[in-house]
Amino acid sequence: MRIYGETIASRLLLGTAQYPSPAVLQDVIRASGTGLVTVSLRRETADGAGEGFWRTLRETGARILPNTAGCHTVKEAVTTAHMAREVFATDWLKLEVIGHADTLQPDVFALVEAARILTSEGFKVFPYTTDDLVVGERLLDAGCELLMPWGAPIGSGQGLRNPDALRAMRAHFPGVPLVVDAGIGRPSDAAQAMELGMDAVLLNTAVAQAGDPAGMARAMALAVEAGRAGFDADPMDRRDLAVPSTPVLGLAELA
Amino acid sequence: MTTLRIAGAGLAGLVCGYELARRGARVVLYERAPTLGTASVARFAGGMLAPWCEAATAEPEVVTLGRGAADWWAQVTEVTRRGTLVLAPPRDRAEISRFARRTEAHRPVDDAAITALEPDLAGRFSQGLHFAQEAHLDPSRALQDLARGIAAHGGEIRHGTDAPRRIDIDCTGMAAPLPDLRPVRGEMAVLHCPEVSITRTLRLLHPRIPLYLVPRGGGTYMIGATMVESSSDRPATLRALTELFSAAFALHPGFAEAAVIRSGAGLRPAFPDNLPRLTCQEGIWHLNGLYRHGFLLAPAMAQRLADTLIPETGHEDTGERRTA
């Protein structure tokens, strides 16, 4: 998978929040085989970056994608992006502008505006968006080179609430990398996203809150791989009626 | 008798000092802060002795190391043994069953049982978990009682003093020269609200932070605590306090009238697995990385150190030392 001119080895992207400890997070990153992890940034982080925590992350070799998680306005997101560029020395940025406290759904209007500002400043923006096609077009117009539609609200673990909308996105944006971000709860959800032709999935809570996070990370990695292999292998179409799979030649002529 | 020199009179230093002094060693603690506890992150602690609840998000060692903590503290200071009540707002009720699956030593409680435990919560929550064996204490009082206990056993705490170059035990928290150590910022607040009467630790299951409310007596309550990977020690943020206050309000709307006595932010020293370590480097013992489990795990770690320095079979008055 190529994003912003660079090859990302794994189609599983991981968030780094809510793990019981950095040691568990390290195990998870290794077990998942991911090459890209998101890290949310707060003002406190820039005041005095948690050096020990970053060191733990860097040791895994995964590339860091800073995240504007928890920002509610364009200004907040842009300020956080500037801090992120300084702290992590990267112009890659997961852009999240939250519009609603209960559903944590993206404020797509502010998202497009922030994306325009940040891409003009040279950021490579990974926008967390809904599955709306017009919003997707606006984000591409704003300079984003990929889209990250939600599967379900953040942390809800509901799986893909609207697979048809994701299928439509795939059809509407054939050459654009699509990453399902948020809502994945189980490995089957991840496999389903990949079977729909998504290029990758980004998840966090499903692994961080599992009883055995590293075990779940492995399961997710296998599901992503299986789903993608299934998509690449051009699955059969659904039919309404049964079609015998046993050979019809060579049956006994009884009449 | 040899003197054991301890750098740092925060929670770790005081607990080690007390345990060693109690076993007959002569201890001297060196503390940079001018008065007791003023530089210790323990002043922001909840003082919960809740190993089973903590195990929901920590390694199982927290239970093995922490289950004896209430008994250890009871010899030093007042320990309130009324258990922990775990609750969830109606929309997060599914969290209760998950928390129950991840923990032990609890029983499910319904509306009536919750009311029997905490009458002020009548009609507010339909289900929860009661961890009857858990306890809590008052951190600042515990530090004072430790200091008195050390003095009573012939030990000494020198405030406003840098440690000498040669020390035996390093309990300096984030100041210790341990490369794996990282700070985890935590924010808390203290409320005065005599209108609401809660007698045991309450935990409100929350998707982002483990929120708890610990009664301090006299209508005073401590609420905590955030966990941020940061070394910033600036005062608590509005975001953090908003989360803490709204959690208190969700527990009981009477907290709307609470007076906010103080808020604070501290940096907890932690190792990558968030478990404490007792190590020996160049002849100096280090007890560090107590993370958010200081009052819970310091006694077991101090006992481990004392077992090494003053073997159980040894005579208390010889204070035999090993610096392997």
Side-chain angles (χ1 to χ4, degrees), chain A residues 8 21 35-36 71-72 91 100 143 169 172-173 175 181-182 194 244:
Chain A
I8 307 291
S21 70
L36 190 60
C71 290
H72 285 72
D91 52 8
H100 198 259
M169 279 193 97
H172 193 72
F173 301 110
D181 180 3
M194 299 309 291

Side-chain angles (χ1 to χ4, degrees), chain B residues 12 36-37 55 77 83 104 112 131 138 167 181 183 192 199 218 270 304 312 315 319 323:
Chain B
L36 184 72
T77 189
E104 290 169 349
F131 291 75
D138 180 336
I167 53 165
L181 211 56
H192 182 62
T199 63
R304 199 178 277 185
E312 287 290 8
H315 305 287
T323 46

Side-chain angles (χ1 to χ4, degrees), chain A residues 124-160:
Chain A
K124 311 279 192 296
V125 174
F126 293 57
Y128 166 60
T129 180
T130 64
D131 47 30
D132 188 285
L133 297 181
V134 181
V135 172
E137 284 177 1
R138 295 284 185 276
L139 286 167
L140 297 180
D141 290 347
C144 298
E145 292 185 13
L146 82 161
L147 298 171
M148 302 213 294
W150 64 354
I154 295 172
S156 69
Q158 293 177 7
L160 308 185

Side-chain angles (χ1 to χ4, degrees), chain A residues 11-219:
Chain A
R11 294 179 183 275
L12 176 58
L13 281 48
L14 274 184
T16 55
Q18 301 178 346
Y19 291 88
S21 70
V24 171
L25 173 58
Q26 256 184 344
D27 291 346
V28 159
I29 291 175
R30 292 200 177 110
S32 72
T34 188
L36 190 60
V37 296
T38 63
V39 175
S40 65
L41 196 73
R42 290 229 203 136
R43 197 63 59 83
E44 296 95 322
T45 321
D47 279 0
E51 250 320 301
F53 185 69
W54 310 138
R55 195 174 50 235
T56 308
L57 273 186
R58 275 196 295 270
E59 278 171 16
T60 66
R63 179 169 185 156
I64 289 176
L65 176 63
N67 177 3
T68 63
C71 290
H72 285 72
T73 64
V74 173
K75 193 177 167 205
E76 227 184 323
V78 169
T79 308
T80 306
H82 291 161
M83 287 183 343
R85 182 152 66 181
E86 209 157 293
V87 172
F88 297 104
T90 174
D91 52 8
W92 285 26
L93 180 81
K94 176 182 162 184
L95 180 61
E96 200 177 300
V97 188
I98 297 302
H100 198 259
D102 262 348
T103 61
L104 298 179
Q105 62 180 313
D107 176 341
V108 294
F109 304 95
L111 178 69
V112 171
E113 195 185 332
R116 193 174 293 125
I117 295 169
L118 291 169
T119 55
S120 74
E121 292 178 358
F123 281 95
K124 311 279 192 296
V125 174
F126 293 57
Y128 166 60
T129 180
T130 64
D131 47 30
D132 188 285
L133 297 181
V134 181
V135 172
E137 284 177 1
R138 295 284 185 276
L139 286 167
L140 297 180
D141 290 347
C144 298
E145 292 185 13
L146 82 161
L147 298 171
M148 302 213 294
W150 64 354
I154 295 172
S156 69
Q158 293 177 7
L160 308 185
R161 283 226 293 214
N162 193 350
D164 291 330
L166 294 173
R167 197 176 286 119
M169 279 193 97
R170 182 68 292 166
H172 193 72
F173 301 110
V176 178
L178 297 178
V179 179
V180 168
D181 180 3
I184 302 288
R186 284 150 203 273
S188 52
D189 304 331
Q192 188 193 6
M194 299 309 291
E195 286 174 21
L196 290 173
M198 299 293 116
D199 293 276
V201 297
L202 198 175
L203 52 88
N204 186 345
T205 314
V207 169
Q209 302 282 296
D212 172 7
M216 187 57 82
R218 237 182 327 273

Side-chain angles (χ1 to χ4, degrees), chain A residues 20 23 44 47-48 55 102 209, chain B residues 91 98 179 230-231 234 272 274:
Chain A
E44 296 95 322
D47 279 0
R55 195 174 50 235
D102 262 348
Q209 302 282 296
Chain B
R91 56 171 263 183
R98 205 173 64 92
S230 167
S231 53
R234 70 181 181 135
N274 289 347

Side-chain angles (χ1 to χ4, degrees), chain B residues 12-296:
Chain B
L14 290 168
V15 171
C16 285
Y18 181 87
E19 181 65 20
L20 291 164
R22 191 183 67 81
R23 297 196 191 189
R26 176 172 154 69
V27 297
V28 180
L29 284 75
Y30 301 89
E31 170 58 50
R32 280 184 190 161
T35 48
L36 184 72
T38 42
S40 168
V41 67
R43 70 192 188 280
F44 303 113
M48 287 181 297
L49 306 172
W52 291 278
C53 280
E54 287 298 318
T57 52
E59 302 291 335
E61 284 92 325
V62 167
V63 174
T64 15
L65 290 172
R67 64 193 327 154
D71 287 339
W72 190 91
W73 282 107
Q75 62 178 356
V76 182
T77 189
E78 188 184 327
V79 173
T80 309
R81 297 175 189 253
R82 296 181 62 81
T84 303
L85 190 54
V86 175
L87 304 163
R91 56 171 263 183
D92 294 326
R93 209 173 295 154
E95 298 284 324
I96 294 270
S97 53
R98 205 173 64 92
F99 197 86
R101 249 185 0 252
R102 302 271 163 86
T103 52
E104 290 169 349
H106 53 69
R107 67 177 173 110
V109 284
D110 60 7
D111 192 3
I114 293 170
T115 308
L117 289 168
E118 294 293 348
D120 269 22
L121 295 180
R124 299 204 45 74
F125 296 92
S126 59
Q127 50 177 309
L129 299 168
H130 183 219
F131 291 75
Q133 300 170 61
E134 297 190 335
H136 69 265
L137 51 73
D138 180 336
S140 57
R141 182 166 167 188
L143 294 189
Q144 284 163 21
D145 289 339
L146 279 174
R148 262 194 292 276
I150 289 171
H153 285 101
E156 190 188 338
I157 304 172
R158 295 186 192 161
H159 281 104
T161 320
D162 279 329
R165 212 169 47 80
R166 186 74 191 89
I167 53 165
D168 302 287
I169 302 159
D170 184 319
C171 294
T172 56
M174 281 311 305
L178 300 171
D180 276 352
L181 211 56
R182 75 183 203 287
V184 180
R185 179 179 155 91
E187 290 142 300
M188 53 75 81
V190 178
L191 308 176
H192 182 62
C193 188
E195 293 85 356
V196 181
S197 170
I198 303 287
T199 63
R200 53 175 59 70
T201 300
L202 303 183
R203 280 182 186 242
L204 187 67
L205 297 184
H206 181 288
R208 285 185 297 283
I209 42 179
L211 285 160
Y212 51 82
L213 179 137
V214 191
R216 291 273 187 263
T220 301
Y221 300 92
M222 180 272 184
I223 49 170
T226 58
M227 292 195 287
V228 185
E229 296 288 346
S230 167
S231 53
S232 166
D233 61 354
R234 70 181 181 135
T237 63
L238 184 138
R239 183 210 310 263
L241 293 177
T242 304
E243 299 240 36
L244 298 177
F245 294 160
S246 60
F249 186 73
L251 285 170
H252 197 292
F255 281 114
E257 300 301 322
V260 181
I261 296 175
R262 72 179 174 113
S263 67
L267 298 176
R268 320 167 176 103
F271 288 112
D273 58 2
N274 289 347
L275 288 174
R277 287 182 194 168
L278 181 63
T279 52
C280 188
Q281 289 182 14
E282 293 163 9
I284 298 172
W285 286 94
H286 287 263
L287 171 53
N288 217 317
L290 287 167
Y291 182 50
R292 47 178 272 137
H293 301 129
F295 284 90
L296 179 62

